[in-house]
Amino acid sequence: MKFKNIITLITIISFHINSFSQDLTFEEYNPKSTLVVPGKIIKRAKFPFIDVHGHQYRMATQDLEPVISAMDTLNLQTMVNLSGRSGEDLIKALENANTYYPGRFVLFCNISFEGAGAEGWIEKTVAQLEADVKAGAVGLKVYKSLGLRNKDFEGNRLAIDDSRLDPIWAKCGELGIPVLIHSADPKSFWDDFDGDNERWLELKTRPRRKRGPNNPAPWEQIIAEQHNMFKRHKNTTFINAHMGWYANNLGKLGKLLDEMPNMNVGIGAIIAELGRQPRFAKAFFEKYQDRILFGKDSWKPEEFPTYFRVLESDDEYFPYHKKYHAFWPMYGLDLSDEVLKKVYYKNALRIVPGIDKTKFPK
């Protein structure tokens, strides 16, 4: 009798296990590939590189030694900290970085666009920008809040190409500093939340990222505002963060680069797009090799090897580091040394002032 009970219990457990294995959700289904192909993880970049899209939000007070240790492991020679802030915060961050680790960081300053258009606002803002550059800032970082959340003094959405902001972009050109700007988010955040949306898993796990078609404006309108601003300020150099959200349409991005010679692009947070189109992406990098800069965005040293492997290797079918960004495998672009050098450091040395050129190969 006991033996029969045990058999029955095993049968029931087996049934439930089998039922569970056949009823996995998309989030749970993440099979290990059985494909055996040559290739290896690249933990250190082939050449010393400049990360033009770094964030160290507490640089004014933080101990930078752990950051430097990780940078050395990666072969990251110079980080551009886009979160330099302004005024006294910027000065303290510069003092901390330059006192303990001279030459390893350069800082961009930031602007608060809230209340633009109020009497005296633009004069005060431009004066602060000049003061920040005089203090040591080597560029201006513009967050995506411009175009999405910032409002003018009357409470209206502040468009990126609002003419009241023109003196800021013109002053950057006059000072010879680049503007690195992040506008909008991936277009999928504005699209229908259904089975056709490639960002479905990200939107399911992070629902606050989903936007309505006009929240706060259509994606196409926000991106067009950015491009209008670029075209209006031909003497100012712009670095379009995240490849302007056109890494999934490199043909379109190429046309935009042709139209706007003052626009460059950073590859932060879009390596998954490049890694699924290795031949087309390689041809793009070869054609626009003088306009592409390395950037990572979030400071997670363990994620850099994915970037190195996509850019440097000819490996096939290797995993990305975040399933909710990309549920597809990566392929290497196998870029030439000359193109790699431009992406890793030469283009940044030309565009971003204040970086020690002696730390990089010719």
Side-chain angles (χ1 to χ4, degrees):
M1 192 68 176
K2 290 182 179 180
F3 180 75
K4 284 186 177 182
N5 289 339
I6 292 173
I7 294 297
T8 302
L9 181 60
I10 292 173
T11 302
I12 293 172
I13 292 173
S14 298
F15 174 78
H16 284 293
I17 290 174
N18 289 332
S19 296
F20 175 75
S21 65
Q22 295 174 31
D23 193 30
L24 291 174
T25 64
F26 178 71
E27 300 97 302
E28 294 167 329
Y29 183 63
N30 193 23
K32 294 180 180 179
S33 174
T34 61
L35 185 67
V36 180
V37 288
K40 63 179 181 179
I41 297 172
I42 300 175
K43 295 184 178 181
R44 182 177 174 84
K46 188 174 186 178
F47 303 107
F49 68 98
I50 298 166
D51 182 354
V52 301
H53 198 137
H55 289 290
Q56 297 295 326
Y57 297 100
R58 300 181 297 104
M59 184 169 274
T61 58
Q62 76 186 95
D63 177 8
L64 293 170
E65 193 279 329
V67 179
I68 289 292
S69 294
M71 288 170 62
D72 289 343
T73 300
L74 299 168
N75 207 13
L76 171 48
Q77 170 58 39
T78 305
M79 179 188 291
V80 179
N81 181 14
L82 301 179
S83 306
R85 306 187 191 279
S86 182
E88 286 300 314
D89 289 331
L90 172 71
I91 292 172
K92 290 178 181 177
L94 284 164
E95 288 177 350
N96 187 22
N98 294 333
T99 297
Y100 294 102
Y101 299 102
R104 300 304 300 274
F105 300 97
V106 294
L107 278 69
F108 278 31
C109 59
N110 310 126
I111 284 174
S112 172
F113 291 92
E114 284 296 313
E119 184 178 356
W121 182 90
I122 192 63
E123 291 81 6
K124 179 181 178 181
T125 300
V126 171
Q128 185 61 58
L129 173 63
E130 289 184 290
D132 288 342
V133 173
K134 185 176 181 180
V138 298
L140 172 66
K141 155 65 167 154
V142 179
Y143 291 97
K144 65 181 178 181
S145 54
L146 179 61
L148 289 180
R149 295 188 298 274
N150 291 144
K151 290 182 169 53
D152 68 7
F153 77 107
E154 294 179 319
N156 301 311
R157 183 183 78 91
L158 188 61
I160 299 168
D161 60 349
D162 192 307
S163 61
R164 293 172 293 184
L165 305 180
D166 282 347
I168 296 171
W169 321 126
K171 178 57 67 173
C172 289
E174 178 186 323
L175 295 172
I177 61 168
V179 177
L180 192 149
I181 180 170
H182 171 175
S183 300
D185 272 321
K187 185 180 182 299
S188 296
F189 290 7
W190 276 257
D191 292 340
D192 292 338
F193 181 33
D194 58 23
D196 291 329
N197 193 316
E198 280 192 320
R199 297 268 185 163
W200 179 90
L201 180 57
E202 180 172 2
L203 295 174
K204 184 177 186 298
T205 56
R206 292 159 175 77
R208 294 179 63 184
R209 297 184 182 182
K210 180 69 182 79
R211 294 182 176 274
N214 298 304
N215 179 14
W219 182 86
E220 293 83 357
Q221 178 181 335
I222 297 171
I223 296 299
E225 290 171 359
Q226 184 200 67
H227 297 162
N228 290 340
M229 187 261 282
F230 291 171
K231 292 174 183 177
R232 211 156 61 211
H233 296 277
K234 301 181 189 302
N235 295 324
T236 302
T237 299
F238 295 94
I239 304 171
N240 203 342
H242 314 300
M243 278 190 156
W245 302 121
Y246 275 112
N248 61 336
N249 189 349
L250 294 178
K252 172 67 173 180
L253 181 57
K255 291 178 181 178
L256 292 171
L257 287 167
D258 293 340
E259 292 174 13
M260 296 174 280
N262 60 329
M263 182 182 92
N264 305 274
V265 294
I267 64 171
I270 52 81
I271 197 69
E273 299 290 357
L274 303 176
R276 64 170 168 169
Q277 50 177 332
R279 288 187 290 275
F280 192 32
K282 180 174 183 175
F284 181 90
F285 271 67
E286 289 173 345
K287 183 175 182 179
Y288 296 102
Q289 59 186 268
D290 297 317
R291 313 278 293 279
I292 306 169
L293 295 86
F294 185 96
K296 171 64 179 64
D297 197 357
S298 61
W299 176 239
K300 294 185 177 180
E302 68 275 12
E303 295 179 354
F304 279 76
T306 303
Y307 285 72
F308 304 155
R309 197 171 181 184
V310 169
L311 296 175
E312 298 181 20
S313 80
D314 61 357
D315 292 352
E316 298 180 296
Y317 207 85
F318 54 90
Y320 183 61
H321 48 259
K322 289 179 182 175
K323 183 183 176 185
Y324 73 79
H325 269 179
F327 49 86
W328 52 82
M330 302 288 99
Y331 296 81
L333 276 58
D334 191 25
L335 297 176
S336 68
D337 283 357
E338 187 51 39
V339 174
L340 274 175
K341 288 177 182 177
K342 288 183 178 182
V343 174
Y344 275 153
Y345 64 89
K346 285 187 176 182
N347 293 339
L349 288 177
R350 187 185 73 252
I351 292 170
V352 181
I355 300 177
D356 185 355
K357 293 180 172 61
T358 66
K359 302 299 183 181
F360 300 89
K362 296 293 184 182

